[in-house]
Amino acid sequence: VKKVVEEVLSDLPSAPPAKMHTLFSILGRQKVEERDLRNWLTDIAEHGNKEQRILLVRNLDHATNRNPVLMLEMLSKCVSMEKELDSRMTHDVSFILHLILEHSGKIDKGPLELLRDELLRKLMDIPKLDWYADELLRFCLTGIDSAINFLEHRLKKSIGRKRRGDKSEAFEAV
């Protein structure tokens, strides 16, 4: 296990996807000290590129042996590292978040609230709200005030882009 981990970590952010898949597969089948696993996954989240973080999120349930606390920690780290979320990331985040929430009784509410806030900030500026982004919004919007703030931000951003004639990327307010 350590040999594959060292190969991947030393090659970040250039580690090929096949090597990343191999690592996640091994981690899911081998007994690994939680401290080591946390350190390795943190290194991937912090030093990997967007594609590697997407692979990490996609494989969190397997790589962490469905440890909801560790999944939440790594999911939060990956989300915070992204400048903006894309549809691939929202899809995988939505799936992992669903798994985490199945065990919400075992999780401290503080980190869950931090993830909620970070996700909402990222979703405010996502160009298109697809089904998975909508699922994440169901988690993030905690009341009428947060929903109004979210819609107001997106409408202002959309109007501002139209006034400037910015057509670089389609942005759907709602």
Side-chain angles (χ1 to χ4, degrees), residues 117 120-121 123-125 129 137 140-158 171 173-174:
D117 293 344
L120 186 57
R121 276 192 297 281
L123 289 169
M124 283 186 165
D125 294 317
L129 296 171
L137 280 172
C140 293
L141 298 175
T142 57
I144 191 75
D145 289 338
S146 63
I148 289 171
N149 289 338
F150 178 80
L151 290 171
E152 184 177 53
H153 175 86
R154 289 190 63 85
L155 288 169
K156 284 180 180 177
K157 183 170 183 162
S158 180
F171 184 87
V174 287

Side-chain angles (χ1 to χ4, degrees), residues 30-91:
Q30 299 293 318
K31 184 74 174 152
V32 177
E33 288 291 323
E34 186 174 323
R35 185 188 79 244
D36 290 338
L37 182 59
R38 176 177 280 108
N39 290 337
W40 297 335
L41 297 179
T42 298
D43 282 348
I44 293 170
E46 291 178 348
H47 303 293
N49 60 34
K50 182 179 196 75
E51 299 303 317
Q52 291 162 338
R53 280 188 290 277
I54 289 171
L55 281 174
L56 173 56
V57 170
R58 185 171 295 148
N59 289 281
L60 271 177
D61 63 326
H62 184 69
T64 63
N65 291 305
R66 291 207 170 191
N67 174 334
V69 174
L70 188 55
M71 285 194 303
L72 175 59
E73 185 180 331
M74 291 303 113
L75 183 62
S76 295
K77 175 66 75 179
C78 288
V79 169
S80 72
M81 295 297 296
E82 294 303 315
K83 182 179 176 189
E84 65 181 38
L85 301 179
D86 64 15
S87 61
R88 295 170 304 151
M89 184 64 97
T90 58
H91 176 270

Side-chain angles (χ1 to χ4, degrees), residues 97-120:
L97 183 60
H98 175 75
L99 294 176
I100 292 169
L101 292 174
E102 287 178 347
H103 303 281
S104 61
K106 300 176 183 175
I107 299 172
D108 181 27
K109 300 300 179 215
L112 207 52
E113 291 301 316
L114 291 173
L115 176 61
R116 177 178 280 128
D117 293 344
E118 183 69 22
L119 273 173
L120 186 57

